[in-house]
Amino acid sequence: MGIFQMTKTVLRNLAGGPATRQYPAVPARTGPLTRGHVVFDPATCRSCSLCSKRCPCEAIRLDKEAKVWEIDRMRCIACGDCVESCPFGSLAMEPEYFSPVVEHVVERYTITYVKPEKPAKKPADESAGA
């Protein structure tokens, strides 16, 4: 009996084709909860450094004086802690996976956020007090 069950399994596996995908030639299926890669928007970053403090693998570094934000994709585990901790929405998690790389590259972004100027106070109307 065991040989017949084994033969049935072998024939089903041979006729069914491969059980795996040939990634990256055939893209992986993504669902609504897929954590792909972190995307950074330098126009909204205010250099608060909460993302770099929350990153468990220290993949994010921030230089406040030079206004440079960098991420090491080889260290990033796509946990999403940095995205959750960013109060300004500068970080987002895209569902697509990052394309495979051959060499180690650290992505650097220059923060372009400009603090809006406060409107000048209007002088007090002198006739209102008299």
Side-chain angles (χ1 to χ4, degrees):
M1 281 295 199
I3 294 175
F4 294 119
Q5 287 180 340
M6 174 93 168
T7 306
K8 179 181 172 184
T9 304
V10 168
L11 291 175
R12 185 176 60 222
N13 287 338
L14 287 175
T20 59
R21 296 181 186 272
Q22 295 180 345
Y23 182 80
V26 178
R29 289 181 287 190
T30 58
L33 299 177
T34 302
R35 295 181 294 182
H37 68 280
V38 177
V39 178
F40 177 66
D41 180 17
T44 59
C45 180
R46 297 185 185 167
S47 304
C48 66
S49 74
L50 288 176
C51 57
S52 62
K53 291 176 184 173
R54 287 284 305 266
C55 184
C57 55
E58 298 177 356
I60 298 174
R61 287 183 289 283
L62 177 68
D63 185 4
K64 290 184 179 182
E65 279 75 33
K67 291 197 173 259
V68 174
W69 187 92
E70 58 186 29
I71 182 167
D72 186 351
R73 297 277 182 195
M74 294 288 200
R75 295 186 78 165
C76 181
I77 58 173
C79 63
D81 284 350
C82 58
V83 176
E84 293 172 4
S85 68
C86 183
F88 307 109
S90 301
L91 298 171
M93 188 70 77
E94 291 288 322
E96 294 83 26
Y97 295 116
F98 201 72
S99 59
V101 294
V102 178
E103 55 191 45
H104 189 165
V105 177
V106 176
E107 294 180 25
R108 288 183 173 85
Y109 298 92
T110 302
I111 298 171
T112 58
Y113 175 78
V114 178
K115 188 175 182 179
E117 296 181 14
K118 293 181 181 178
K121 291 185 178 180
K122 295 180 182 178
D125 190 12
E126 295 175 10
S127 63

